[in-house]
Amino acid sequence: MTPDQYCKDKAAKSGSSFYYSFMFLPPDKRRAITALYAFCREVDDVVDESSDENVARTTLAWWHTEVTAIYTGAPQHPVARALIPVVKQYNLLQEHFHEIIDGMEMDLQQHQYADFKALQQYCYRVASVVGLLAAEIFGYTDRNTLKYAHDLGLAFQLTNIIRDVGEDARRGRIYLPLGELALFGVHVNDILDKKESEGFQKLMQFQIDRAQRYYQRALEQLPAVDRKAQRTGLIMAAIYRATLEEIVASGCHVLKERVSLTPLRKLWLAWKTWAKN
């Protein structure tokens, strides 16, 4: 199996919405963004699939060395090898890959966040940085497109947090800012006990409204001149915003279920968004 094929299989098996947004890209950009996505999946899986925290730390430290090796031409992992031509062709910054790993390490160090400012640093590392790298691959002429990519990545991560509240809590992680839980009279134990109080519903609506504001701000910052080049991000925005709408429509039972769109609906949204833009 070639490094590119490994990345392609990694992306396809994940079932992620990102996979559907890649389908309309030209081959070189599709290979590049698939390699980037596979890298993100690999380092994320280190944390999510390891039962031993020390093993996870050691593996993430090894990934830091692999990132350095990508830029010297001698990495071992197939994903890292697939990224060698990508970082050169699209001039991707080494520090951004290290920041993604730093974000994954935060999941080992911190399981709760006092306020939104603290959560923002985590979201920046695991999502906004990915958005900045993706923007380089898709291409842009106006640097304001990077502001769009930053905020869109943040919006995606906020959507993930909303969708996965129950699932994350069962892993011992609560990303909803503790100050905001207190504001709506929600206790951490309420989340662990799957207690869908009126306060919890108001808390989630607060989270959803904020995510939507970030989507709106991101889209307003995308210069018209780069809209066509950044269509893949717009496809993702359409799919993720539809997921938010589905969460609301289903009663926001995120403590007990994980809402997701069907593959057919994702494909329809991807085609419709690509054709419109």
Side-chain angles (χ1 to χ4, degrees):
M1 182 183 294
T2 66
D4 283 339
Q5 187 60 51
Y6 180 97
C7 293
K8 186 177 179 181
D9 288 355
K10 186 78 175 179
K13 288 175 183 177
S14 74
S16 169
S17 300
F18 284 91
Y19 181 72
Y20 294 88
S21 67
F22 302 164
M23 297 173 69
F24 299 93
L25 286 167
D28 60 333
K29 292 184 184 295
R30 186 165 65 246
R31 281 193 298 270
I33 198 66
T34 300
L36 173 60
Y37 176 75
F39 170 81
C40 295
R41 284 260 41 96
E42 288 289 343
V43 294
D44 187 47
D45 288 348
V46 169
V47 176
D48 285 347
E49 297 180 0
S50 177
S51 57
D52 188 321
E53 190 172 303
N54 289 326
V55 170
R57 290 182 189 278
T58 301
T59 306
L60 288 178
W62 178 81
W63 269 107
H64 275 299
T65 66
E66 278 291 275
V67 167
T68 302
I70 290 169
Y71 289 82
T72 60
Q76 301 173 42
H77 197 280
V79 169
R81 294 203 300 272
L83 281 169
I84 292 174
V86 173
V87 301
K88 291 178 181 177
Q89 181 177 356
Y90 297 101
N91 196 29
L92 304 184
L93 295 178
Q94 182 178 164
E95 65 190 61
H96 281 162
F97 288 96
H98 288 298
E99 283 183 303
I100 293 169
I101 300 172
D102 289 341
M104 304 306 170
E105 289 172 337
M106 288 179 72
D107 274 332
L108 300 176
Q109 301 161 359
Q110 190 169 353
H111 296 158
Q112 296 179 2
Y113 293 85
D115 53 32
F116 183 63
K117 184 177 180 182
L119 180 63
Q120 272 185 296
Q121 183 187 30
Y122 172 76
C123 293
Y124 170 75
R125 287 175 170 174
V126 301
S128 291
V129 169
V130 180
L132 295 173
L133 288 169
E136 296 290 347
I137 292 172
F138 302 147
Y140 62 91
T141 56
D142 188 326
R143 289 193 63 81
N144 282 320
T145 295
L146 296 179
K147 296 178 181 178
Y148 145 84
H150 173 283
D151 284 352
L152 191 62
L154 183 54
F156 289 161
Q157 190 60 29
L158 292 177
T159 303
N160 286 338
I161 288 170
I162 292 164
R163 181 195 62 198
D164 299 338
V165 171
E167 188 176 295
D168 288 333
R170 288 186 283 278
R171 289 176 172 171
R173 301 177 197 152
I174 295 180
Y175 295 102
L176 303 177
L178 298 181
E180 295 173 8
L181 265 69
L183 180 66
F184 292 96
V186 178
H187 193 275
V188 167
N189 287 338
D190 294 339
I191 294 176
L192 298 175
D193 295 338
K194 303 180 184 179
K195 184 179 178 182
E196 294 183 349
S197 63
E198 182 181 349
F200 178 77
Q201 292 294 329
K202 290 179 179 178
L203 170 66
M204 294 314 300
Q205 190 59 55
F206 182 83
Q207 307 300 317
I208 291 167
D209 290 345
R210 178 164 55 206
Q212 291 286 22
R213 287 196 301 273
Y214 272 99
Y215 281 114
Q216 189 63 35
R217 190 167 87 170
L219 296 174
E220 287 173 355
Q221 292 180 116
L222 177 59
V225 68
D226 289 333
R227 191 172 181 88
K228 187 173 182 179
Q230 297 292 323
R231 281 187 294 186
T232 301
L234 296 176
I235 289 172
M236 284 304 308
I239 293 173
Y240 265 62
R241 293 185 93 173
T243 301
L244 272 184
E245 291 165 5
E246 194 67 29
I247 289 170
V248 173
S250 64
C252 205
H253 300 302
V254 290
L255 292 179
K256 300 175 182 177
E257 64 183 18
R258 186 181 190 273
V259 171
S260 62
L261 306 183
T262 65
L264 185 61
R265 188 172 175 192
K266 290 177 183 177
L267 186 60
W268 163 246
L269 286 168
W271 179 84
K272 185 171 72 169
T273 306
W274 185 268
K276 185 172 70 174
N277 292 283

